[in-house]
Amino acid sequence: TAMPLRSVLVLAVAIVGGRASEQAHPNDHVLPSPRLQSPSSRINADNQTDLRSLRSLSPFVSKQLEGNAVDLDVNQLLQEVDAGVSKMNKRQITKFKEYMTSMKEFVMKNQAASQKKPHLDSAKVFYDPSTQKPLASFDGYTYSAIIYHDPPFVSIQDYFANSTNPADQDPGNLNQTRTPGNGKLSGLSIDMLGALSTTMGVSFKYYYPCNVQLYNSQKYCNTPTKNESLNLFSGTPGYFGSIADMCGAEDRCMVVGPVKITSDITKTYRLTQPFMESGFVMAVLESKSNPSFMAAFDPFDWLLWFLVVIEIILCGVLFMWTEGYGTNQDLWGSPAIEDLQLGLCERIVKIIWNLISQSYDAIYWSFTLLLGAGDKAPTTNAGRLVVSFQLLFALILVSMYTGNLATFLFTIPMQTKVTQFDDFVDPASFYYNKKNSICISTLNPSMQSWLDVKKSDLIGTGQSNFNIITNSTIEDCLFSVYTGKATATFFDEPTVLYYMNRLYSSGMCGDGGGYCTDRTKIDQESCVCPTRDSAKKCQNPNNNKWYAISGSVVTAGNIFNPFGYGLVFHRNSTDYQGFSQAIEYIKQIGLLASIEDNNIPGLSTMSCSSLAGGSIQLTFSNIQGLFTLIMALLFAGLCVGLLEQIIALVMYCMKPCLKKKELSVAGSRKNSMVSVSSDLMLRKPAPGHKSLADADTKVDSADIQVDLQQGNGEIGEEKAQEVEEQPSPEEIEMHKKITELQRGLAEIEEIIQTFELEKSSEQTQDANEAPANPLAATWQSFHANVRSFLGSKADT
């Protein structure tokens, strides 16, 4: 069945893997290799008790468990197990094969990991790579290390050997006055030899080349270089010490330093496997640049700003939908009464204009809400919901923007003149400039050699010419880059980082950095005022000058021209094999990486001297884009306001011409209205009619009201210009009251006329005998007063 066979496979992998590891590494007690263990989650607990009895189910598995476990073939094991699953159903076979495949990957992974383990034991036994036979033990041997001064790999204190005390001079270090123990020898290579000493059981003596003739003439040694060390190592005479004495009959000596493994040097010497891989890196001056024109908007990219604008417009459309026409008086207003009297074309034009103005109001509302200054209030529930979401969006957006704004405004943008070597030779490069120059060191010929190769590659392309400046050391080249005399320099990355760190610690970095003519002074105060007299006045006896420079030397681009560093042995020596294995061992246990971190500063660990720091202050350049945008918007608002004023002025000038025709119509309306009013007030009922309410004499009050509404503002040509185009509610109410008075006047006239008819016979009979009736005079006077009142109100 599936489960027993799977248990057999698990047991076989676990036991066979462990035996294979034991035979490959018999000295597991010193450097234990991890035994292969199957994942515990793969084993069913119910089947663990059947493992012993299940071993006989597969002859191949049993043979491998009891025979030579080193020759375990996992693929053959899987085939044997597959033969035993022929009775499984399809689902069981599929699952079981998936399990076996995962177990195969597990075995292969652990076998590969075990093969990468170091092969050193307590007896310091090493193996010949060609014969796989053990080499002689190195334990107890003493080797001579020919070193040269090249930080951060090797630093030799007082290598000039010009001390006033003869005992401390020791040119060439023949008396071993300079050792790692007393601190006079240090660096990555020196620390690595210390690790190899512990690992291999060897000890070292240290020598450096010092020319006897030059020392006798100038009383000091020159800076020891790689070429001089190789000359001494090769037996070239003229140096303090004899290479035969240093190496001895067993030829136990080597050259230690940053020696690059190249095809040329391997033709003459034996080199170990590289103890460190590196390459050339370019160093340039990084200085402060002006902020971008729209620096105030940098917290968001342009796509995000575009989406914000789209959101404002969409929110405005929602306001037009939820706060519909006539719903929100603050947003839309109410339709004018005179719109009902417009023609079709006039209505279409006004609808379009209203749509434009309403869209502007809606977007304005949405934008002011985003700024937290909404001046309108929603009137519908849907509108209130939109406002709530817009305010929430504004809260989050403003918080994100203001949170990033300070970082962008106070971050000083930096720039470099070049970013890679191609910027010197490629005219199509953005940074290309014929004035750019490269500084190389005369003491490091590998720089010139690389440039020569590069020039030969560029011959025929028209790009093989570029400016070169020479200095003696890499440190001098970096100083030339800092002062602007050279655009860039390049060399081994560890060396460049080491001297860059020295520049930083000397105050030659940052926005407030600089250098003094006296290079021992690292700030302006100590440079121009090294001492003070009794009156505390500054004294500058050497006339020191301070040159302020804004910027720092940094690395640019990627590492190019990769190479490795190795230890150099004589051509006929085999000791390089054992040292190569020891170097590989201290690499794998992480010791060599720790040594590199302790000796080579990283860019992240470099700190500019506190005396060279400068405060960050915002300038107009930080907000020039924002200021320009605001000025442009203000100017646009001014232009819109002027346009509105011009339109209003034109309409005002055209208004008298437009009113001329309206006044002629108003005059006819006024005459008709006055005649109607006069008939109401003065006419008597026609024969056969009892009152003015009859059909042939009575004026319909509704017609009079319409005439009054239409004629409002048109009665009296001298007042026509002062009447508003749209009647106010008070005027409409006044019209209603006038109509009621007219109706009352008609009734009064009927009463007067009836009274006069009743009294006419009596007045006729007594006309010659009695005075006029006082009641009739009273009614007539009242009638005249009412008529006068109506006339004055109609004019108003």
Side-chain angles (χ1 to χ4, degrees), residues 729-761:
E730 292 78 7
E731 292 173 340
I732 296 176
E733 186 67 23
M734 180 61 70
H735 295 164
K736 293 180 180 180
K737 292 182 179 180
I738 292 176
T739 302
E740 294 177 356
L741 289 175
Q742 289 174 341
R743 292 176 180 174
L745 177 60
E747 295 177 359
I748 292 173
E749 288 180 343
E750 291 180 358
I751 295 174
I752 293 175
Q753 293 173 1
T754 302
F755 178 78
E756 290 179 348
L757 291 174
E758 292 177 352
K759 298 299 182 180
S760 60
S761 59

PDB file of all heavy atoms in Angstrom, residues 729-761:
ATOM      1  N   PRO A 729     -41.846  90.861  -4.733  1.00  0.00           N
ATOM      2  CA  PRO A 729     -43.094  90.404  -4.068  1.00  0.00           C
ATOM      3  C   PRO A 729     -43.902  91.569  -3.487  1.00  0.00           C
ATOM      4  O   PRO A 729     -45.145  91.513  -3.491  1.00  0.00           O
ATOM      5  CB  PRO A 729     -42.570  89.471  -2.966  1.00  0.00           C
ATOM      6  CG  PRO A 729     -41.254  88.983  -3.499  1.00  0.00           C
ATOM      7  CD  PRO A 729     -40.684  90.133  -4.254  1.00  0.00           C
ATOM      8  N   GLU A 730     -43.258  92.621  -3.004  1.00  0.00           N
ATOM      9  CA  GLU A 730     -44.013  93.773  -2.461  1.00  0.00           C
ATOM     10  C   GLU A 730     -44.815  94.474  -3.550  1.00  0.00           C
ATOM     11  O   GLU A 730     -45.964  94.901  -3.327  1.00  0.00           O
ATOM     12  CB  GLU A 730     -43.039  94.755  -1.817  1.00  0.00           C
ATOM     13  CG  GLU A 730     -42.356  94.250  -0.554  1.00  0.00           C
ATOM     14  CD  GLU A 730     -41.222  93.309  -0.848  1.00  0.00           C
ATOM     15  OE1 GLU A 730     -40.886  93.151  -2.035  1.00  0.00           O
ATOM     16  OE2 GLU A 730     -40.663  92.731   0.116  1.00  0.00           O
ATOM     17  N   GLU A 731     -44.189  94.572  -4.774  1.00  0.00           N
ATOM     18  CA  GLU A 731     -44.903  95.223  -5.871  1.00  0.00           C
ATOM     19  C   GLU A 731     -46.103  94.397  -6.292  1.00  0.00           C
ATOM     20  O   GLU A 731     -47.189  94.951  -6.593  1.00  0.00           O
ATOM     21  CB  GLU A 731     -43.942  95.423  -7.037  1.00  0.00           C
ATOM     22  CG  GLU A 731     -42.847  96.453  -6.739  1.00  0.00           C
ATOM     23  CD  GLU A 731     -41.812  96.517  -7.834  1.00  0.00           C
ATOM     24  OE1 GLU A 731     -41.712  95.558  -8.613  1.00  0.00           O
ATOM     25  OE2 GLU A 731     -41.116  97.526  -7.893  1.00  0.00           O
ATOM     26  N   ILE A 732     -45.938  93.086  -6.340  1.00  0.00           N
ATOM     27  CA  ILE A 732     -47.072  92.225  -6.705  1.00  0.00           C
ATOM     28  C   ILE A 732     -48.194  92.368  -5.684  1.00  0.00           C
ATOM     29  O   ILE A 732     -49.393  92.437  -6.032  1.00  0.00           O
ATOM     30  CB  ILE A 732     -46.611  90.763  -6.812  1.00  0.00           C
ATOM     31  CG1 ILE A 732     -45.599  90.612  -7.962  1.00  0.00           C
ATOM     32  CG2 ILE A 732     -47.790  89.825  -7.025  1.00  0.00           C
ATOM     33  CD1 ILE A 732     -44.996  89.228  -8.097  1.00  0.00           C
ATOM     34  N   GLU A 733     -47.836  92.436  -4.409  1.00  0.00           N
ATOM     35  CA  GLU A 733     -48.848  92.619  -3.366  1.00  0.00           C
ATOM     36  C   GLU A 733     -49.554  93.963  -3.518  1.00  0.00           C
ATOM     37  O   GLU A 733     -50.768  94.081  -3.323  1.00  0.00           O
ATOM     38  CB  GLU A 733     -48.172  92.498  -2.000  1.00  0.00           C
ATOM     39  CG  GLU A 733     -49.146  92.524  -0.825  1.00  0.00           C
ATOM     40  CD  GLU A 733     -50.039  91.306  -0.800  1.00  0.00           C
ATOM     41  OE1 GLU A 733     -49.637  90.265  -1.378  1.00  0.00           O
ATOM     42  OE2 GLU A 733     -51.138  91.374  -0.227  1.00  0.00           O
ATOM     43  N   MET A 734     -48.836  95.015  -3.880  1.00  0.00           N
ATOM     44  CA  MET A 734     -49.420  96.336  -4.098  1.00  0.00           C
ATOM     45  C   MET A 734     -50.407  96.302  -5.259  1.00  0.00           C
ATOM     46  O   MET A 734     -51.490  96.911  -5.213  1.00  0.00           O
ATOM     47  CB  MET A 734     -48.320  97.362  -4.369  1.00  0.00           C
ATOM     48  CG  MET A 734     -48.829  98.778  -4.613  1.00  0.00           C
ATOM     49  SD  MET A 734     -49.718  99.437  -3.174  1.00  0.00           S
ATOM     50  CE  MET A 734     -48.347  99.632  -2.059  1.00  0.00           C
ATOM     51  N   HIS A 735     -50.036  95.551  -6.331  1.00  0.00           N
ATOM     52  CA  HIS A 735     -50.952  95.427  -7.474  1.00  0.00           C
ATOM     53  C   HIS A 735     -52.281  94.809  -7.048  1.00  0.00           C
ATOM     54  O   HIS A 735     -53.357  95.221  -7.496  1.00  0.00           O
ATOM     55  CB  HIS A 735     -50.299  94.596  -8.567  1.00  0.00           C
ATOM     56  CG  HIS A 735     -49.079  95.261  -9.172  1.00  0.00           C
ATOM     57  ND1 HIS A 735     -48.163  94.575  -9.928  1.00  0.00           N
ATOM     58  CD2 HIS A 735     -48.649  96.544  -9.117  1.00  0.00           C
ATOM     59  CE1 HIS A 735     -47.208  95.409 -10.310  1.00  0.00           C
ATOM     60  NE2 HIS A 735     -47.476  96.612  -9.812  1.00  0.00           N
ATOM     61  N   LYS A 736     -52.171  93.798  -6.170  1.00  0.00           N
ATOM     62  CA  LYS A 736     -53.399  93.151  -5.690  1.00  0.00           C
ATOM     63  C   LYS A 736     -54.258  94.139  -4.909  1.00  0.00           C
ATOM     64  O   LYS A 736     -55.493  94.176  -5.054  1.00  0.00           O
ATOM     65  CB  LYS A 736     -53.052  91.951  -4.821  1.00  0.00           C
ATOM     66  CG  LYS A 736     -52.375  90.807  -5.588  1.00  0.00           C
ATOM     67  CD  LYS A 736     -52.058  89.644  -4.667  1.00  0.00           C
ATOM     68  CE  LYS A 736     -51.387  88.511  -5.399  1.00  0.00           C
ATOM     69  NZ  LYS A 736     -51.071  87.372  -4.500  1.00  0.00           N
ATOM     70  N   LYS A 737     -53.626  94.945  -4.077  1.00  0.00           N
ATOM     71  CA  LYS A 737     -54.396  95.912  -3.284  1.00  0.00           C
ATOM     72  C   LYS A 737     -55.056  96.968  -4.174  1.00  0.00           C
ATOM     73  O   LYS A 737     -56.204  97.381  -3.923  1.00  0.00           O
ATOM     74  CB  LYS A 737     -53.483  96.585  -2.265  1.00  0.00           C
ATOM     75  CG  LYS A 737     -52.995  95.639  -1.176  1.00  0.00           C
ATOM     76  CD  LYS A 737     -52.141  96.366  -0.173  1.00  0.00           C
ATOM     77  CE  LYS A 737     -51.670  95.416   0.934  1.00  0.00           C
ATOM     78  NZ  LYS A 737     -50.841  96.103   1.932  1.00  0.00           N
ATOM     79  N   ILE A 738     -54.338  97.399  -5.225  1.00  0.00           N
ATOM     80  CA  ILE A 738     -54.927  98.387  -6.140  1.00  0.00           C
ATOM     81  C   ILE A 738     -56.150  97.796  -6.827  1.00  0.00           C
ATOM     82  O   ILE A 738     -57.173  98.466  -7.023  1.00  0.00           O
ATOM     83  CB  ILE A 738     -53.870  98.847  -7.158  1.00  0.00           C
ATOM     84  CG1 ILE A 738     -52.787  99.656  -6.443  1.00  0.00           C
ATOM     85  CG2 ILE A 738     -54.499  99.677  -8.276  1.00  0.00           C
ATOM     86  CD1 ILE A 738     -51.655 100.059  -7.337  1.00  0.00           C
ATOM     87  N   THR A 739     -56.048  96.524  -7.211  1.00  0.00           N
ATOM     88  CA  THR A 739     -57.195  95.868  -7.869  1.00  0.00           C
ATOM     89  C   THR A 739     -58.404  95.828  -6.940  1.00  0.00           C
ATOM     90  O   THR A 739     -59.557  96.063  -7.357  1.00  0.00           O
ATOM     91  CB  THR A 739     -56.798  94.453  -8.280  1.00  0.00           C
ATOM     92  OG1 THR A 739     -55.667  94.517  -9.156  1.00  0.00           O
ATOM     93  CG2 THR A 739     -57.939  93.765  -9.022  1.00  0.00           C
ATOM     94  N   GLU A 740     -58.154  95.499  -5.667  1.00  0.00           N
ATOM     95  CA  GLU A 740     -59.263  95.483  -4.704  1.00  0.00           C
ATOM     96  C   GLU A 740     -59.879  96.876  -4.547  1.00  0.00           C
ATOM     97  O   GLU A 740     -61.104  97.027  -4.439  1.00  0.00           O
ATOM     98  CB  GLU A 740     -58.752  94.965  -3.368  1.00  0.00           C
ATOM     99  CG  GLU A 740     -58.325  93.493  -3.417  1.00  0.00           C
ATOM    100  CD  GLU A 740     -57.763  93.030  -2.088  1.00  0.00           C
ATOM    101  OE1 GLU A 740     -57.653  93.868  -1.189  1.00  0.00           O
ATOM    102  OE2 GLU A 740     -57.396  91.828  -1.981  1.00  0.00           O
ATOM    103  N   LEU A 741     -59.011  97.909  -4.538  1.00  0.00           N
ATOM    104  CA  LEU A 741     -59.550  99.279  -4.449  1.00  0.00           C
ATOM    105  C   LEU A 741     -60.384  99.637  -5.671  1.00  0.00           C
ATOM    106  O   LEU A 741     -61.421 100.334  -5.565  1.00  0.00           O
ATOM    107  CB  LEU A 741     -58.396 100.273  -4.298  1.00  0.00           C
ATOM    108  CG  LEU A 741     -57.672 100.260  -2.939  1.00  0.00           C
ATOM    109  CD1 LEU A 741     -56.494 101.201  -2.980  1.00  0.00           C
ATOM    110  CD2 LEU A 741     -58.620 100.657  -1.819  1.00  0.00           C
ATOM    111  N   GLN A 742     -59.958  99.156  -6.851  1.00  0.00           N
ATOM    112  CA  GLN A 742     -60.739  99.434  -8.055  1.00  0.00           C
ATOM    113  C   GLN A 742     -62.119  98.775  -7.975  1.00  0.00           C
ATOM    114  O   GLN A 742     -63.126  99.345  -8.406  1.00  0.00           O
ATOM    115  CB  GLN A 742     -59.972  98.956  -9.281  1.00  0.00           C
ATOM    116  CG  GLN A 742     -58.752  99.823  -9.585  1.00  0.00           C
ATOM    117  CD  GLN A 742     -57.925  99.246 -10.703  1.00  0.00           C
ATOM    118  OE1 GLN A 742     -58.041  98.068 -11.004  1.00  0.00           O
ATOM    119  NE2 GLN A 742     -57.107 100.098 -11.305  1.00  0.00           N
ATOM    120  N   ARG A 743     -62.098  97.532  -7.477  1.00  0.00           N
ATOM    121  CA  ARG A 743     -63.404  96.872  -7.295  1.00  0.00           C
ATOM    122  C   ARG A 743     -64.286  97.640  -6.312  1.00  0.00           C
ATOM    123  O   ARG A 743     -65.490  97.821  -6.519  1.00  0.00           O
ATOM    124  CB  ARG A 743     -63.190  95.444  -6.809  1.00  0.00           C
ATOM    125  CG  ARG A 743     -62.563  94.538  -7.850  1.00  0.00           C
ATOM    126  CD  ARG A 743     -62.287  93.181  -7.251  1.00  0.00           C
ATOM    127  NE  ARG A 743     -61.688  92.284  -8.248  1.00  0.00           N
ATOM    128  CZ  ARG A 743     -61.242  91.072  -7.975  1.00  0.00           C
ATOM    129  NH1 ARG A 743     -61.338  90.611  -6.737  1.00  0.00           N
ATOM    130  NH2 ARG A 743     -60.714  90.320  -8.941  1.00  0.00           N
ATOM    131  N   GLY A 744     -63.666  98.063  -5.213  1.00  0.00           N
ATOM    132  CA  GLY A 744     -64.440  98.862  -4.231  1.00  0.00           C
ATOM    133  C   GLY A 744     -64.932 100.161  -4.840  1.00  0.00           C
ATOM    134  O   GLY A 744     -66.060 100.625  -4.558  1.00  0.00           O
ATOM    135  N   LEU A 745     -64.105 100.770  -5.695  1.00  0.00           N
ATOM    136  CA  LEU A 745     -64.508 102.018  -6.346  1.00  0.00           C
ATOM    137  C   LEU A 745     -65.706 101.794  -7.247  1.00  0.00           C
ATOM    138  O   LEU A 745     -66.645 102.633  -7.300  1.00  0.00           O
ATOM    139  CB  LEU A 745     -63.338 102.572  -7.151  1.00  0.00           C
ATOM    140  CG  LEU A 745     -63.605 103.837  -7.967  1.00  0.00           C
ATOM    141  CD1 LEU A 745     -64.031 104.980  -7.046  1.00  0.00           C
ATOM    142  CD2 LEU A 745     -62.376 104.248  -8.757  1.00  0.00           C
ATOM    143  N   ALA A 746     -65.731 100.658  -7.950  1.00  0.00           N
ATOM    144  CA  ALA A 746     -66.877 100.376  -8.815  1.00  0.00           C
ATOM    145  C   ALA A 746     -68.146 100.247  -8.000  1.00  0.00           C
ATOM    146  O   ALA A 746     -69.231 100.724  -8.407  1.00  0.00           O
ATOM    147  CB  ALA A 746     -66.608  99.106  -9.615  1.00  0.00           C
ATOM    148  N   GLU A 747     -68.058  99.576  -6.868  1.00  0.00           N
ATOM    149  CA  GLU A 747     -69.242  99.432  -6.018  1.00  0.00           C
ATOM    150  C   GLU A 747     -69.702 100.793  -5.478  1.00  0.00           C
ATOM    151  O   GLU A 747     -70.897 101.092  -5.397  1.00  0.00           O
ATOM    152  CB  GLU A 747     -68.937  98.472  -4.877  1.00  0.00           C
ATOM    153  CG  GLU A 747     -68.662  97.041  -5.357  1.00  0.00           C
ATOM    154  CD  GLU A 747     -68.303  96.127  -4.207  1.00  0.00           C
ATOM    155  OE1 GLU A 747     -68.250  96.619  -3.062  1.00  0.00           O
ATOM    156  OE2 GLU A 747     -68.058  94.923  -4.436  1.00  0.00           O
ATOM    157  N   ILE A 748     -68.708 101.629  -5.103  1.00  0.00           N
ATOM    158  CA  ILE A 748     -69.063 102.972  -4.596  1.00  0.00           C
ATOM    159  C   ILE A 748     -69.772 103.788  -5.677  1.00  0.00           C
ATOM    160  O   ILE A 748     -70.752 104.496  -5.412  1.00  0.00           O
ATOM    161  CB  ILE A 748     -67.796 103.703  -4.100  1.00  0.00           C
ATOM    162  CG1 ILE A 748     -67.265 102.993  -2.846  1.00  0.00           C
ATOM    163  CG2 ILE A 748     -68.073 105.171  -3.819  1.00  0.00           C
ATOM    164  CD1 ILE A 748     -65.946 103.531  -2.374  1.00  0.00           C
ATOM    165  N   GLU A 749     -69.278 103.664  -6.927  1.00  0.00           N
ATOM    166  CA  GLU A 749     -69.919 104.405  -8.012  1.00  0.00           C
ATOM    167  C   GLU A 749     -71.359 103.955  -8.209  1.00  0.00           C
ATOM    168  O   GLU A 749     -72.262 104.764  -8.478  1.00  0.00           O
ATOM    169  CB  GLU A 749     -69.114 104.223  -9.294  1.00  0.00           C
ATOM    170  CG  GLU A 749     -67.795 104.982  -9.274  1.00  0.00           C
ATOM    171  CD  GLU A 749     -67.027 104.780 -10.543  1.00  0.00           C
ATOM    172  OE1 GLU A 749     -67.351 103.825 -11.286  1.00  0.00           O
ATOM    173  OE2 GLU A 749     -66.078 105.551 -10.798  1.00  0.00           O
ATOM    174  N   GLU A 750     -71.600 102.640  -8.084  1.00  0.00           N
ATOM    175  CA  GLU A 750     -72.975 102.153  -8.226  1.00  0.00           C
ATOM    176  C   GLU A 750     -73.876 102.732  -7.137  1.00  0.00           C
ATOM    177  O   GLU A 750     -75.016 103.131  -7.381  1.00  0.00           O
ATOM    178  CB  GLU A 750     -72.984 100.626  -8.169  1.00  0.00           C
ATOM    179  CG  GLU A 750     -72.344  99.960  -9.375  1.00  0.00           C
ATOM    180  CD  GLU A 750     -72.378  98.451  -9.273  1.00  0.00           C
ATOM    181  OE1 GLU A 750     -72.860  97.941  -8.242  1.00  0.00           O
ATOM    182  OE2 GLU A 750     -71.887  97.764 -10.198  1.00  0.00           O
ATOM    183  N   ILE A 751     -73.324 102.783  -5.901  1.00  0.00           N
ATOM    184  CA  ILE A 751     -74.126 103.336  -4.803  1.00  0.00           C
ATOM    185  C   ILE A 751     -74.432 104.814  -5.063  1.00  0.00           C
ATOM    186  O   ILE A 751     -75.559 105.295  -4.870  1.00  0.00           O
ATOM    187  CB  ILE A 751     -73.387 103.165  -3.471  1.00  0.00           C
ATOM    188  CG1 ILE A 751     -73.242 101.653  -3.152  1.00  0.00           C
ATOM    189  CG2 ILE A 751     -74.111 103.896  -2.348  1.00  0.00           C
ATOM    190  CD1 ILE A 751     -72.395 101.382  -1.940  1.00  0.00           C
ATOM    191  N   ILE A 752     -73.401 105.541  -5.518  1.00  0.00           N
ATOM    192  CA  ILE A 752     -73.599 106.991  -5.778  1.00  0.00           C
ATOM    193  C   ILE A 752     -74.633 107.194  -6.870  1.00  0.00           C
ATOM    194  O   ILE A 752     -75.535 108.050  -6.770  1.00  0.00           O
ATOM    195  CB  ILE A 752     -72.261 107.643  -6.161  1.00  0.00           C
ATOM    196  CG1 ILE A 752     -71.319 107.613  -4.950  1.00  0.00           C
ATOM    197  CG2 ILE A 752     -72.455 109.069  -6.655  1.00  0.00           C
ATOM    198  CD1 ILE A 752     -69.934 108.123  -5.255  1.00  0.00           C
ATOM    199  N   GLN A 753     -74.470 106.379  -7.939  1.00  0.00           N
ATOM    200  CA  GLN A 753     -75.422 106.544  -9.046  1.00  0.00           C
ATOM    201  C   GLN A 753     -76.847 106.206  -8.607  1.00  0.00           C
ATOM    202  O   GLN A 753     -77.822 106.884  -9.001  1.00  0.00           O
ATOM    203  CB  GLN A 753     -75.005 105.675 -10.216  1.00  0.00           C
ATOM    204  CG  GLN A 753     -73.695 106.125 -10.875  1.00  0.00           C
ATOM    205  CD  GLN A 753     -73.220 105.169 -11.915  1.00  0.00           C
ATOM    206  OE1 GLN A 753     -73.901 104.154 -12.162  1.00  0.00           O
ATOM    207  NE2 GLN A 753     -72.080 105.470 -12.527  1.00  0.00           N
ATOM    208  N   THR A 754     -77.003 105.165  -7.807  1.00  0.00           N
ATOM    209  CA  THR A 754     -78.353 104.811  -7.316  1.00  0.00           C
ATOM    210  C   THR A 754     -78.918 105.935  -6.449  1.00  0.00           C
ATOM    211  O   THR A 754     -80.094 106.306  -6.556  1.00  0.00           O
ATOM    212  CB  THR A 754     -78.287 103.509  -6.509  1.00  0.00           C
ATOM    213  OG1 THR A 754     -77.740 102.474  -7.339  1.00  0.00           O
ATOM    214  CG2 THR A 754     -79.671 103.111  -6.041  1.00  0.00           C
ATOM    215  N   PHE A 755     -78.049 106.462  -5.590  1.00  0.00           N
ATOM    216  CA  PHE A 755     -78.496 107.540  -4.723  1.00  0.00           C
ATOM    217  C   PHE A 755     -78.900 108.766  -5.537  1.00  0.00           C
ATOM    218  O   PHE A 755     -79.911 109.422  -5.257  1.00  0.00           O
ATOM    219  CB  PHE A 755     -77.368 107.916  -3.755  1.00  0.00           C
ATOM    220  CG  PHE A 755     -77.707 109.070  -2.839  1.00  0.00           C
ATOM    221  CD1 PHE A 755     -78.519 108.870  -1.729  1.00  0.00           C
ATOM    222  CD2 PHE A 755     -77.251 110.342  -3.124  1.00  0.00           C
ATOM    223  CE1 PHE A 755     -78.817 109.936  -0.900  1.00  0.00           C
ATOM    224  CE2 PHE A 755     -77.555 111.393  -2.298  1.00  0.00           C
ATOM    225  CZ  PHE A 755     -78.336 111.207  -1.175  1.00  0.00           C
ATOM    226  N   GLU A 756     -78.126 109.078  -6.557  1.00  0.00           N
ATOM    227  CA  GLU A 756     -78.451 110.246  -7.376  1.00  0.00           C
ATOM    228  C   GLU A 756     -79.756 110.058  -8.127  1.00  0.00           C
ATOM    229  O   GLU A 756     -80.539 111.006  -8.311  1.00  0.00           O
ATOM    230  CB  GLU A 756     -77.288 110.517  -8.341  1.00  0.00           C
ATOM    231  CG  GLU A 756     -76.039 111.030  -7.649  1.00  0.00           C
ATOM    232  CD  GLU A 756     -74.905 111.271  -8.620  1.00  0.00           C
ATOM    233  OE1 GLU A 756     -75.031 110.828  -9.775  1.00  0.00           O
ATOM    234  OE2 GLU A 756     -73.870 111.865  -8.214  1.00  0.00           O
ATOM    235  N   LEU A 757     -80.023 108.840  -8.636  1.00  0.00           N
ATOM    236  CA  LEU A 757     -81.278 108.586  -9.332  1.00  0.00           C
ATOM    237  C   LEU A 757     -82.489 108.739  -8.395  1.00  0.00           C
ATOM    238  O   LEU A 757     -83.544 109.235  -8.787  1.00  0.00           O
ATOM    239  CB  LEU A 757     -81.269 107.182  -9.949  1.00  0.00           C
ATOM    240  CG  LEU A 757     -80.300 106.969 -11.142  1.00  0.00           C
ATOM    241  CD1 LEU A 757     -80.313 105.506 -11.542  1.00  0.00           C
ATOM    242  CD2 LEU A 757     -80.718 107.851 -12.299  1.00  0.00           C
ATOM    243  N   GLU A 758     -82.326 108.277  -7.134  1.00  0.00           N
ATOM    244  CA  GLU A 758     -83.455 108.373  -6.207  1.00  0.00           C
ATOM    245  C   GLU A 758     -83.740 109.821  -5.817  1.00  0.00           C
ATOM    246  O   GLU A 758     -84.872 110.184  -5.543  1.00  0.00           O
ATOM    247  CB  GLU A 758     -83.135 107.548  -4.949  1.00  0.00           C
ATOM    248  CG  GLU A 758     -83.086 106.048  -5.207  1.00  0.00           C
ATOM    249  CD  GLU A 758     -82.690 105.284  -3.969  1.00  0.00           C
ATOM    250  OE1 GLU A 758     -82.316 105.919  -2.957  1.00  0.00           O
ATOM    251  OE2 GLU A 758     -82.715 104.022  -3.998  1.00  0.00           O
ATOM    252  N   LYS A 759     -82.690 110.575  -5.773  1.00  0.00           N
ATOM    253  CA  LYS A 759     -82.871 111.949  -5.345  1.00  0.00           C
ATOM    254  C   LYS A 759     -83.017 112.933  -6.504  1.00  0.00           C
ATOM    255  O   LYS A 759     -83.185 114.138  -6.265  1.00  0.00           O
ATOM    256  CB  LYS A 759     -81.666 112.388  -4.494  1.00  0.00           C
ATOM    257  CG  LYS A 759     -81.514 111.568  -3.220  1.00  0.00           C
ATOM    258  CD  LYS A 759     -82.739 111.705  -2.312  1.00  0.00           C
ATOM    259  CE  LYS A 759     -82.543 110.923  -1.027  1.00  0.00           C
ATOM    260  NZ  LYS A 759     -83.724 111.050  -0.116  1.00  0.00           N
ATOM    261  N   SER A 760     -82.938 112.410  -7.718  1.00  0.00           N
ATOM    262  CA  SER A 760     -82.978 113.342  -8.850  1.00  0.00           C
ATOM    263  C   SER A 760     -84.330 114.049  -8.957  1.00  0.00           C
ATOM    264  O   SER A 760     -84.424 115.238  -9.267  1.00  0.00           O
ATOM    265  CB  SER A 760     -82.700 112.594 -10.152  1.00  0.00           C
ATOM    266  OG  SER A 760     -83.680 111.592 -10.353  1.00  0.00           O
ATOM    267  N   SER A 761     -85.395 113.275  -8.698  1.00  0.00           N
ATOM    268  CA  SER A 761     -86.723 113.897  -8.812  1.00  0.00           C
ATOM    269  C   SER A 761     -86.907 114.941  -7.733  1.00  0.00           C
ATOM    270  O   SER A 761     -87.453 116.023  -7.973  1.00  0.00           O
ATOM    271  CB  SER A 761     -87.814 112.824  -8.716  1.00  0.00           C
ATOM    272  OG  SER A 761     -87.699 112.140  -7.476  1.00  0.00           O
TER     273      SER A 761
END
